[in-house]
Amino acid sequence: MRVAEGPLPVDEYDVAVLGGGVNGTGVARDLSLRGLRVVLFERNDLAFGASGNSSGMIHGGVRYLSQSPKVTETSCRDSGYIQHIAPHLLFRLPFLMPVKSGAQGRIAFELIDAYFRAYDDYQPLKHGEPHCRLDANDLARLEPGLTGSIVGGITFDEWGIDGARLCTLNAIDAIEHGASVYVHTTVEQIARAEGQDDGGRYVVEARDRDTQERVRVRAHVVVNATGAWSPVTAHLGGLPQARVRVRPGKGIHVVLDRRLTNYGILSEAIDGRQIFLEPWQNVSILGTTDDDYYGDLDDVRATSEEVRYLVQGVARVFPSVRTARAIGTYAGVRPTLYAYGPNEDALSREHEIVDHTRDGAPGVYSMIGGKLASYRLFSQELSDQVARDDFGVAAPCTTHTRPLPGGESVPDAMALADKHGITPVAARRLVYRHGQRALHVLERVARRPREREITCVCEPVMEAEVRHVVRHELARTVDDVARRTRLGLGACGGMRCAARCGQIVAQERGLPPHQGQVMARDFVEKQAKTRVVAMGPEQARQEALALAHLDATLGVRP
Amino acid sequence: MSRGDVVVIGAGAAGTAAAIVAARAGARTTVVDGGTGASTLWTGAAHATDAVSAEARDVAVLLGVTVARSMLLPTSARPLVAHGHDAAILDLDPLISARAAIAVVGCDRPQWDAELVAKWDGQSLFPLEAAMLRHVDERALPDADFAARHDDPSRLGWLADRLREALARSERKPVALLLPPSLGVERSRAEELSKRVGVPCGEALGLPGGPPGLRFEAARNRALASAGIHTARGRVTRIEPSGGKWRVTLAANGDGGLEADAVVVAAGGLVGGGLEYQSSEWMLAAAMPPYSRAPFRCTIDGPLPLGSRGKPLELPGSLYGMAPESIAWPFASDPLMNRVGVPAASDGRVAQGLYVAGELVADLPRTWLDALESGIRAGVAAAREALSVTSPQSASASAASATRP
C-alpha cells in the first residue's frame, strides 16, 4: 500500500484536493477510481472538522421534505448507496418523537403523522422501516424513561455511522487507487504554474506541520474541499473570498458514558429548536447546537453554556440525562451556504460547486455546503464535472457500487473471537470499524499474540489495531488513533490508554519514546478540555486523579 | 474534665503523620479512617517543594517511604525525578550516574513492555526475559493483585530462582533488576528479593491505584497500632464546639461520635473526598437555582470556610456558579481546583483546637511530602493545645466566633 510519504518535491498530478473531510476524501476516491492521479492535503487530520464531529448519522433529511423534497430524495438514495458500500459501518438508529398532549398537541400529532407518512415513501431507498404511530402506552413501553404528559409519538428510522471512519476509508481507497494523501500538511500557496507545457496549470505548495518538510506539486485541477476553512483556502489562491462564502455554524455534542436508550429521542430546546439524544456505538450523544462561529477553526470547543442548553432541553422529555455521566463533548463547524438574514436553522443544507473560471482560475473548484449523508453524491457531481470538462474522461462514477475498503463483506465477529482468542466485545467493535479488514488486524494478532493486549479498555481497542491504523490508515498521533479507533473516547477519557498508545505510536513511527509521551499528554489535555465543561462532582474527582495520573505516567510536571 | 484528646480526621499521609506525632507528644489520639483517598491511590513517587524536615523523614520511614532525591522510571519509560519513593521502587539515580547495566525484567503483563522501557537509555538498560508468571490468570491480574502474590515467601523464593536463572543465562551482568509493579502489598518485598537474587531489585513506577497505595495502607496500620493510636472507621459529617471540647459526628453513628480537645482535619481534597466540587453544573438541567453559590464545599459541616490565596471563596456573579473552564485544568496553569481549601496558619490552625492538614489546606502544594509535613506541624500543635491547661470557656467562645460562614 502506498502511504503518504514518498512523492518527490515536484510531483505531477491531475488533481490536487485540499481538505481531508468527507467531501475531500470522497472526491479523491471518486477521481482515483476514474484513473486520475490525485493528491490530497489535509491541514490537521482526516475528519478533523465537521466530518468527524457530526451527529454520526446519515439521515434521510426528513426536515427538508416540505421545502425541498429533492434533497430528501437524494439524501435517502445516497444513504442506500452508503449502506451498500460500507455495510459494516452502519447501524440502525430508530428515533422516537414524543408529542406533548393538549389540544395543540393532538393537532400537531396528526400533522406529524401525515408528514412522516410522506417520508415513508422515501424509506425504501435507504432500506428503512416505515414510521409507526404510537399511543402514550406504547411509547411508555418502548421507552419507560420518557416523562411528561404525552399524547403519543411516532417512530422513524435512520442510520448511524462513524463519520471519521467514513473519511478514513475513502482516503484509504483513494490511496489504494494511486492517490497520495498528506495529512498534517497545510497548503501555503496555490499559484499558476510558469509556462503552459504538458504539466499542471497550478503549483500547490504545502508544509508538513510536524516535520516542517515542504511539498510542492503541480496539478491541472485544484479542488477546495476545506469546509468551514474554504474562504481561508481560497485566499491562498488569490481568489475572492466572497465567492466561497460560508455561514460557519458551530454544532456541539455532549457524550454520555453509556447507551441510555435503545432509541434516539427528539426533544425541543428552550428556543424551540429540535435537539436529540441518540444511542451511538457504546455511548449516548446529545445534539446539537447551531450557532454562527467565527473563532479559530483549529480549536473549536463546547462551552458549559452550550452543554446546559442541550441537557436542559433533552431532560424535559428524558430526565435521566440529568444524572447521567457526561464524559466529554465535541464540536465542529458546518460549512453552511452563505445567506444574510435567516437564523442558523433556516439555512439551506444544500451544496454548491463554485467554478472559479469566472475568477480567472479555470480548473479551480470550491465545494461549499453539503452534509455527511450526501457527501458521495456531492463528490460525484464534482468529479463528473472535473472528469468531463477538464480531462475529457468518460469513465463513469463507481463510488456507489464499489465497496469501501473492508466493506466487501462483514465477517462473523463471534467466529473471529473464538478463532483468535479475543473477547466477543473486542471482536464486534473491531469488525464494526474495519469490516473485512478486521482480518488484517487479526493476522497481526496471529503472528504476534502479544498484540492481542487491550490498549483501550473502554472501547475496547487491541494493540494490533493501534499499530494497524498507524501503519495503514495515516494515523500519526494519539489523537489520530482516537479518531480512527475511538481509543480514549470512552468513559476513562484516555487516562488509562493514552500513555500506552503514545508508546506504540512512537514505536511504530520510529520516534523517541519521549515524543510518544508528548502526544499522550496532548491528547489527555485535549480530552480534559472537552470534558471539563460538562463537569459534575464525580468528574471533578476524576480530573484531580487525571492530574495525578499524568504526573505518574508521563512525568509532565515536577 | 480530663484533657489531652486529639481526634485526627483522615488516615492518609497527612492524617497519619499528625496522629503519630500527637501520640508521641502524649495525647490520647484517635484516627478516623474514611476509606480510600489520594494516599491509598498514590503511585509511590513522593515530591516536596521545600527541604524535608528530620521529623518528616522519620515518619516517612514508618510509612515505608524513603526520602532521597531519586530517579524513578515509570512503565511509560520517561524518568521522573522525585524527592522520595515507596521502598519497593527502584531508584535509578545512583545507578544511572554510574552508567551501570540495569536489566528490565520482561514478562507478559499489560502496560509492561520491557523492551520499550529499556529503550529509554539503550546504554544502561537492557531487557531480560524471565518467567515471572506462574499461573495463566496472572497475565490479566491488576498490578496490586499480582503484587499480593509475592507476599507469600515461597512464591517470592520461586521468583528469585527464576530471576537467578535469567541472570545466569544473560551475557550482560546487571547491577540491578527493574521489575514491573509486583513486589508485595503487605510490605515491600524488594529487599528480601534483592537478598535472594544477589542484586538490588525494585519496581518501576506504576499507575495510581497500584501496589504502593496498598503498601502505604499496610504500613500505616502497623504504624498506628504500634503507636497505640485508636482507629475509628467512617466518614465524619460534622464537627462543632461543645462544652469546651470539639464534638465529631460520624455518618450513621447516632451515639454521639467522638469528643476531643483538639481536632486535626486531614480529610483530603477532591480525590480524598474532603472537598466536593459543587457548582450548579452537577444538576445540569435542573431549573435555575434560586441563589448563587460557591462551587466548592467542605464535606464536613463545621467552622471550615474555604478560600485560596489568602481570600475567602467568593460567590460567583452567576446563578450557575463559576464556569468550570475558569477554575479547572488544563485551562488554567494554576487552577483554583488545585488551590482551594481551608485557609490556615502555617501550623494548620483554623480556630482554637481546630487544625487542618494535607490537601484540605488552601494553597498547600499538592504533593505527598508537603502533605506529610503539614500533618506533622498540625499534629504537634494540636497535641500541645490539647495537653495545655486552658479554660474551657475561652475555647468555646473562640470557636463559636469562628463558626461557619
mmCIF file of all heavy atoms in Angstrom, chain B residues 238-248 259-260 263 301-303 351-352 354 392-404:
data_model
loop_
_atom_site.group_PDB
_atom_site.id
_atom_site.type_symbol
_atom_site.label_atom_id
_atom_site.label_comp_id
_atom_site.label_asym_id
_atom_site.label_seq_id
_atom_site.Cartn_x
_atom_site.Cartn_y
_atom_site.Cartn_z
ATOM 1 N N ARG B 238 -19.710 16.106 60.669
ATOM 2 C CA ARG B 238 -19.874 17.374 61.351
ATOM 3 C C ARG B 238 -18.856 17.485 62.478
ATOM 4 O O ARG B 238 -18.573 16.518 63.164
ATOM 5 C CB ARG B 238 -21.297 17.376 61.929
ATOM 6 C CG ARG B 238 -21.737 18.637 62.562
ATOM 7 C CD ARG B 238 -23.192 18.462 63.029
ATOM 8 N NE ARG B 238 -23.649 19.711 63.570
ATOM 9 C CZ ARG B 238 -24.079 20.729 62.822
ATOM 10 N NH1 ARG B 238 -24.129 20.609 61.514
ATOM 11 N NH2 ARG B 238 -24.457 21.859 63.384
ATOM 12 N N ILE B 239 -18.304 18.695 62.640
ATOM 13 C CA ILE B 239 -17.544 18.975 63.861
ATOM 14 C C ILE B 239 -18.054 20.286 64.431
ATOM 15 O O ILE B 239 -18.304 21.231 63.684
ATOM 16 C CB ILE B 239 -16.013 19.065 63.628
ATOM 17 C CG1 ILE B 239 -15.698 19.929 62.417
ATOM 18 C CG2 ILE B 239 -15.392 17.708 63.456
ATOM 19 C CD1 ILE B 239 -14.216 20.094 62.202
ATOM 20 N N GLU B 240 -18.231 20.314 65.751
ATOM 21 C CA GLU B 240 -18.778 21.533 66.347
ATOM 22 C C GLU B 240 -18.248 21.667 67.771
ATOM 23 O O GLU B 240 -17.949 20.666 68.422
ATOM 24 C CB GLU B 240 -20.304 21.469 66.357
ATOM 25 C CG GLU B 240 -20.833 20.284 67.142
ATOM 26 C CD GLU B 240 -22.253 19.919 66.732
ATOM 27 O OE1 GLU B 240 -23.033 20.839 66.476
ATOM 28 O OE2 GLU B 240 -22.538 18.712 66.675
ATOM 29 N N PRO B 241 -18.127 22.914 68.234
ATOM 30 C CA PRO B 241 -17.695 23.115 69.623
ATOM 31 C C PRO B 241 -18.820 22.728 70.568
ATOM 32 O O PRO B 241 -19.991 22.946 70.248
ATOM 33 C CB PRO B 241 -17.400 24.620 69.701
ATOM 34 C CG PRO B 241 -18.127 25.236 68.567
ATOM 35 C CD PRO B 241 -18.339 24.182 67.523
ATOM 36 N N SER B 242 -18.439 22.102 71.672
ATOM 37 C CA SER B 242 -19.464 21.664 72.607
ATOM 38 C C SER B 242 -18.833 21.578 73.990
ATOM 39 O O SER B 242 -17.961 20.732 74.234
ATOM 40 C CB SER B 242 -20.007 20.309 72.131
ATOM 41 O OG SER B 242 -20.349 19.488 73.198
ATOM 42 N N GLY B 243 -19.193 22.468 74.833
ATOM 43 C CA GLY B 243 -18.724 22.457 76.211
ATOM 44 C C GLY B 243 -17.218 22.484 76.348
ATOM 45 O O GLY B 243 -16.649 21.712 77.112
ATOM 46 N N GLY B 244 -16.560 23.335 75.601
ATOM 47 C CA GLY B 244 -15.112 23.457 75.726
ATOM 48 C C GLY B 244 -14.356 22.397 74.957
ATOM 49 O O GLY B 244 -13.134 22.372 74.930
ATOM 50 N N LYS B 245 -15.075 21.467 74.356
ATOM 51 C CA LYS B 245 -14.425 20.424 73.551
ATOM 52 C C LYS B 245 -14.949 20.500 72.127
ATOM 53 O O LYS B 245 -15.819 21.310 71.816
ATOM 54 C CB LYS B 245 -14.740 19.047 74.145
ATOM 55 C CG LYS B 245 -14.121 18.829 75.509
ATOM 56 C CD LYS B 245 -13.878 17.354 75.728
ATOM 57 C CE LYS B 245 -12.989 17.126 76.931
ATOM 58 N NZ LYS B 245 -12.046 16.055 76.698
ATOM 59 N N TRP B 246 -14.413 19.657 71.284
ATOM 60 C CA TRP B 246 -14.939 19.552 69.924
ATOM 61 C C TRP B 246 -15.684 18.229 69.807
ATOM 62 O O TRP B 246 -15.168 17.182 70.184
ATOM 63 C CB TRP B 246 -13.809 19.608 68.900
ATOM 64 C CG TRP B 246 -13.260 20.993 68.733
ATOM 65 C CD1 TRP B 246 -12.182 21.524 69.387
ATOM 66 C CD2 TRP B 246 -13.765 22.016 67.889
ATOM 67 N NE1 TRP B 246 -11.988 22.821 69.006
ATOM 68 C CE2 TRP B 246 -12.937 23.158 68.078
ATOM 69 C CE3 TRP B 246 -14.831 22.096 66.996
ATOM 70 C CZ2 TRP B 246 -13.152 24.354 67.397
ATOM 71 C CZ3 TRP B 246 -15.038 23.279 66.315
ATOM 72 C CH2 TRP B 246 -14.217 24.394 66.516
ATOM 73 N N ARG B 247 -16.893 18.313 69.279
ATOM 74 C CA ARG B 247 -17.663 17.096 69.054
ATOM 75 C C ARG B 247 -17.545 16.717 67.572
ATOM 76 O O ARG B 247 -17.749 17.558 66.690
ATOM 77 C CB ARG B 247 -19.124 17.331 69.409
ATOM 78 C CG ARG B 247 -20.034 16.154 69.070
ATOM 79 C CD ARG B 247 -21.457 16.485 69.419
ATOM 80 N NE ARG B 247 -21.607 16.602 70.876
ATOM 81 C CZ ARG B 247 -21.776 15.557 71.680
ATOM 82 N NH1 ARG B 247 -21.823 14.334 71.167
ATOM 83 N NH2 ARG B 247 -21.905 15.721 72.966
ATOM 84 N N VAL B 248 -17.193 15.479 67.349
ATOM 85 C CA VAL B 248 -17.009 14.981 65.983
ATOM 86 C C VAL B 248 -18.093 13.947 65.700
ATOM 87 O O VAL B 248 -18.159 12.923 66.374
ATOM 88 C CB VAL B 248 -15.607 14.338 65.831
ATOM 89 C CG1 VAL B 248 -15.441 13.736 64.454
ATOM 90 C CG2 VAL B 248 -14.515 15.361 66.116
ATOM 91 N N GLU B 259 -15.326 12.963 71.088
ATOM 92 C CA GLU B 259 -15.064 14.277 71.663
ATOM 93 C C GLU B 259 -13.568 14.474 71.764
ATOM 94 O O GLU B 259 -12.820 13.528 72.012
ATOM 95 C CB GLU B 259 -15.692 14.379 73.049
ATOM 96 C CG GLU B 259 -17.187 14.457 72.977
ATOM 97 C CD GLU B 259 -17.753 15.372 74.052
ATOM 98 O OE1 GLU B 259 -17.144 15.407 75.132
ATOM 99 O OE2 GLU B 259 -18.761 16.037 73.780
ATOM 100 N N ALA B 260 -13.105 15.700 71.549
ATOM 101 C CA ALA B 260 -11.664 15.939 71.586
ATOM 102 C C ALA B 260 -11.373 17.348 72.029
ATOM 103 O O ALA B 260 -12.190 18.248 71.888
ATOM 104 C CB ALA B 260 -11.076 15.705 70.197
ATOM 105 N N VAL B 263 -8.762 18.946 67.258
ATOM 106 C CA VAL B 263 -9.106 18.136 66.087
ATOM 107 C C VAL B 263 -8.192 18.543 64.941
ATOM 108 O O VAL B 263 -7.954 19.739 64.718
ATOM 109 C CB VAL B 263 -10.574 18.362 65.684
ATOM 110 C CG1 VAL B 263 -10.901 17.612 64.398
ATOM 111 C CG2 VAL B 263 -11.512 17.929 66.792
ATOM 112 N N ASP B 301 -19.296 19.420 57.864
ATOM 113 C CA ASP B 301 -20.005 20.583 58.374
ATOM 114 C C ASP B 301 -19.255 21.115 59.579
ATOM 115 O O ASP B 301 -18.960 20.353 60.494
ATOM 116 C CB ASP B 301 -21.397 20.133 58.843
ATOM 117 C CG ASP B 301 -22.476 20.794 58.047
ATOM 118 O OD1 ASP B 301 -22.141 21.699 57.258
ATOM 119 O OD2 ASP B 301 -23.638 20.408 58.223
ATOM 120 N N GLY B 302 -18.988 22.394 59.617
ATOM 121 C CA GLY B 302 -18.268 22.924 60.770
ATOM 122 C C GLY B 302 -17.612 24.229 60.411
ATOM 123 O O GLY B 302 -17.786 24.718 59.297
ATOM 124 N N PRO B 303 -16.859 24.776 61.330
ATOM 125 C CA PRO B 303 -16.243 26.084 61.066
ATOM 126 C C PRO B 303 -15.037 25.967 60.144
ATOM 127 O O PRO B 303 -13.918 26.233 60.550
ATOM 128 C CB PRO B 303 -15.856 26.575 62.459
ATOM 129 C CG PRO B 303 -15.693 25.340 63.268
ATOM 130 C CD PRO B 303 -16.595 24.300 62.707
ATOM 131 N N ALA B 351 -8.908 27.533 64.208
ATOM 132 C CA ALA B 351 -9.529 28.113 65.401
ATOM 133 C C ALA B 351 -8.889 27.411 66.578
ATOM 134 O O ALA B 351 -8.096 26.471 66.403
ATOM 135 C CB ALA B 351 -11.033 27.869 65.391
ATOM 136 N N GLN B 352 -9.245 27.822 67.768
ATOM 137 C CA GLN B 352 -8.643 27.159 68.927
ATOM 138 C C GLN B 352 -9.015 25.683 68.928
ATOM 139 O O GLN B 352 -10.187 25.312 68.883
ATOM 140 C CB GLN B 352 -9.116 27.798 70.218
ATOM 141 C CG GLN B 352 -8.448 27.136 71.419
ATOM 142 C CD GLN B 352 -8.441 28.021 72.628
ATOM 143 O OE1 GLN B 352 -9.126 29.038 72.675
ATOM 144 N NE2 GLN B 352 -7.645 27.645 73.628
ATOM 145 N N LEU B 354 -8.637 23.627 66.565
ATOM 146 C CA LEU B 354 -9.063 23.100 65.258
ATOM 147 C C LEU B 354 -7.962 23.353 64.228
ATOM 148 O O LEU B 354 -7.552 24.494 64.018
ATOM 149 C CB LEU B 354 -10.365 23.774 64.818
ATOM 150 C CG LEU B 354 -10.946 23.282 63.483
ATOM 151 C CD1 LEU B 354 -11.297 21.810 63.548
ATOM 152 C CD2 LEU B 354 -12.176 24.097 63.100
ATOM 153 N N PRO B 392 -11.964 26.013 79.501
ATOM 154 C CA PRO B 392 -12.915 25.544 78.502
ATOM 155 C C PRO B 392 -13.766 26.680 77.947
ATOM 156 O O PRO B 392 -14.081 26.698 76.778
ATOM 157 C CB PRO B 392 -13.764 24.533 79.262
ATOM 158 C CG PRO B 392 -12.959 24.142 80.448
ATOM 159 C CD PRO B 392 -12.113 25.307 80.782
ATOM 160 N N GLN B 393 -14.084 27.661 78.787
ATOM 161 C CA GLN B 393 -14.935 28.753 78.328
ATOM 162 C C GLN B 393 -14.296 29.499 77.166
ATOM 163 O O GLN B 393 -14.919 29.754 76.145
ATOM 164 C CB GLN B 393 -15.234 29.753 79.463
ATOM 165 C CG GLN B 393 -16.294 29.298 80.434
ATOM 166 C CD GLN B 393 -15.745 28.236 81.382
ATOM 167 O OE1 GLN B 393 -14.545 28.144 81.609
ATOM 168 N NE2 GLN B 393 -16.637 27.426 81.927
ATOM 169 N N SER B 394 -13.024 29.832 77.376
ATOM 170 C CA SER B 394 -12.394 30.628 76.316
ATOM 171 C C SER B 394 -12.304 29.813 75.026
ATOM 172 O O SER B 394 -12.442 30.344 73.927
ATOM 173 C CB SER B 394 -11.014 31.100 76.760
ATOM 174 O OG SER B 394 -10.117 30.007 76.730
ATOM 175 N N ALA B 395 -12.109 28.509 75.180
ATOM 176 C CA ALA B 395 -12.039 27.671 73.977
ATOM 177 C C ALA B 395 -13.357 27.719 73.227
ATOM 178 O O ALA B 395 -13.391 27.915 72.015
ATOM 179 C CB ALA B 395 -11.712 26.232 74.366
ATOM 180 N N SER B 396 -14.445 27.572 73.949
ATOM 181 C CA SER B 396 -15.718 27.518 73.247
ATOM 182 C C SER B 396 -16.068 28.886 72.687
ATOM 183 O O SER B 396 -16.627 29.001 71.601
ATOM 184 C CB SER B 396 -16.820 27.000 74.185
ATOM 185 O OG SER B 396 -17.370 28.057 74.919
ATOM 186 N N ALA B 397 -15.696 29.962 73.402
ATOM 187 C CA ALA B 397 -16.000 31.299 72.885
ATOM 188 C C ALA B 397 -15.262 31.541 71.589
ATOM 189 O O ALA B 397 -15.836 31.998 70.602
ATOM 190 C CB ALA B 397 -15.611 32.355 73.930
ATOM 191 N N SER B 398 -13.978 31.178 71.592
ATOM 192 C CA SER B 398 -13.191 31.418 70.389
ATOM 193 C C SER B 398 -13.712 30.576 69.231
ATOM 194 O O SER B 398 -13.777 31.030 68.088
ATOM 195 C CB SER B 398 -11.729 31.109 70.681
ATOM 196 O OG SER B 398 -11.150 30.389 69.641
ATOM 197 N N ALA B 399 -14.099 29.368 69.534
ATOM 198 C CA ALA B 399 -14.601 28.505 68.461
ATOM 199 C C ALA B 399 -15.923 29.022 67.935
ATOM 200 O O ALA B 399 -16.176 29.016 66.729
ATOM 201 C CB ALA B 399 -14.767 27.085 68.984
ATOM 202 N N ALA B 400 -16.746 29.513 68.849
ATOM 203 C CA ALA B 400 -18.049 29.997 68.400
ATOM 204 C C ALA B 400 -17.892 31.201 67.482
ATOM 205 O O ALA B 400 -18.627 31.355 66.516
ATOM 206 C CB ALA B 400 -18.899 30.362 69.617
ATOM 207 N N SER B 401 -16.886 32.032 67.794
ATOM 208 C CA SER B 401 -16.701 33.210 66.940
ATOM 209 C C SER B 401 -16.233 32.809 65.549
ATOM 210 O O SER B 401 -16.347 33.567 64.596
ATOM 211 C CB SER B 401 -15.699 34.168 67.581
ATOM 212 O OG SER B 401 -14.405 33.592 67.490
ATOM 213 N N ALA B 402 -15.688 31.619 65.459
ATOM 214 C CA ALA B 402 -15.182 31.177 64.154
ATOM 215 C C ALA B 402 -16.193 30.276 63.444
ATOM 216 O O ALA B 402 -15.860 29.605 62.496
ATOM 217 C CB ALA B 402 -13.875 30.423 64.336
ATOM 218 N N THR B 403 -17.414 30.277 63.936
ATOM 219 C CA THR B 403 -18.355 29.337 63.334
ATOM 220 C C THR B 403 -18.609 29.661 61.872
ATOM 221 O O THR B 403 -18.201 30.696 61.367
ATOM 222 C CB THR B 403 -19.709 29.285 64.067
ATOM 223 O OG1 THR B 403 -19.910 30.512 64.684
ATOM 224 C CG2 THR B 403 -19.788 28.131 65.012
ATOM 225 N N ARG B 404 -19.349 28.786 61.314
ATOM 226 C CA ARG B 404 -19.465 28.693 59.855
ATOM 227 C C ARG B 404 -19.791 30.009 59.144
ATOM 228 O O ARG B 404 -20.361 30.904 59.735
ATOM 229 C CB ARG B 404 -20.515 27.653 59.530
ATOM 230 C CG ARG B 404 -21.856 28.035 60.135
ATOM 231 C CD ARG B 404 -22.871 27.057 59.794
ATOM 232 N NE ARG B 404 -22.931 25.972 60.773
ATOM 233 C CZ ARG B 404 -23.649 24.906 60.546
ATOM 234 N NH1 ARG B 404 -24.216 24.744 59.375
ATOM 235 N NH2 ARG B 404 -23.772 23.995 61.458
#
